[in-house]
């Protein structure tokens, strides 16, 4: 139980840091999370906690750095087909 709470706190701190850095380009809107939580595969949908819309390679690096600092996983999202890689 303590481990789950620690994960929740890290996720919350990560989200706060992302919002501080990217402002309105961090979305927690249900429709955005839903569309980024599913793809063309057979897996059940699993919406993320947030979606960030970077505009440069440097911003992607900043997102990765923030996630790493808070030990929070990230999942890259392309076209949503699950066929990117």
């Amino acid at each position: 139980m303590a481990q789950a709470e620690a994960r929740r706190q890290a996720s919350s701190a990560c989200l706060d840091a992302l919002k501080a850095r990217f402002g309105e380009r961090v979305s927690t809107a249900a429709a955005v999370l839903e569309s980024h939580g599913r793809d063309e595969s057979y897996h059940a949908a699993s919406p993320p906690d947030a979606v960030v819309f970077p505009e440069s390679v440097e911003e992607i690096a900043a997102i990765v750095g923030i996630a790493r600092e808070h030990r929070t996983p990230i999942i890259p999202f392309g076209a949503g087909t699950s066929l990117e890689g």
Side-chain angles (χ1 to χ4, degrees), residues 1-12 49:
M1 203 63 152
Q3 191 175 31
E5 180 58 29
R7 253 185 256 137
R8 258 191 303 281
Q9 288 176 354
S11 180
S12 179
D49 295 332

Side-chain angles (χ1 to χ4, degrees), residues 9-70:
Q9 288 176 354
S11 180
S12 179
C14 184
L15 183 56
D16 290 344
L18 289 168
K19 286 180 177 179
R21 172 68 170 80
F22 296 98
E24 296 293 316
R25 290 187 287 135
V26 176
S27 180
T28 56
V32 173
L33 301 181
E34 182 182 326
S35 70
H36 283 79
R38 60 181 149 77
D39 57 27
E40 299 297 321
S41 71
Y42 60 87
H43 302 291
S46 182
D49 295 332
V51 176
V52 184
F53 297 95
E55 295 178 346
S56 69
V57 172
E58 291 78 15
E59 287 187 348
I60 294 169
I63 293 166
V64 171
I66 291 168
R68 181 176 169 270
E69 178 182 338
H70 295 281

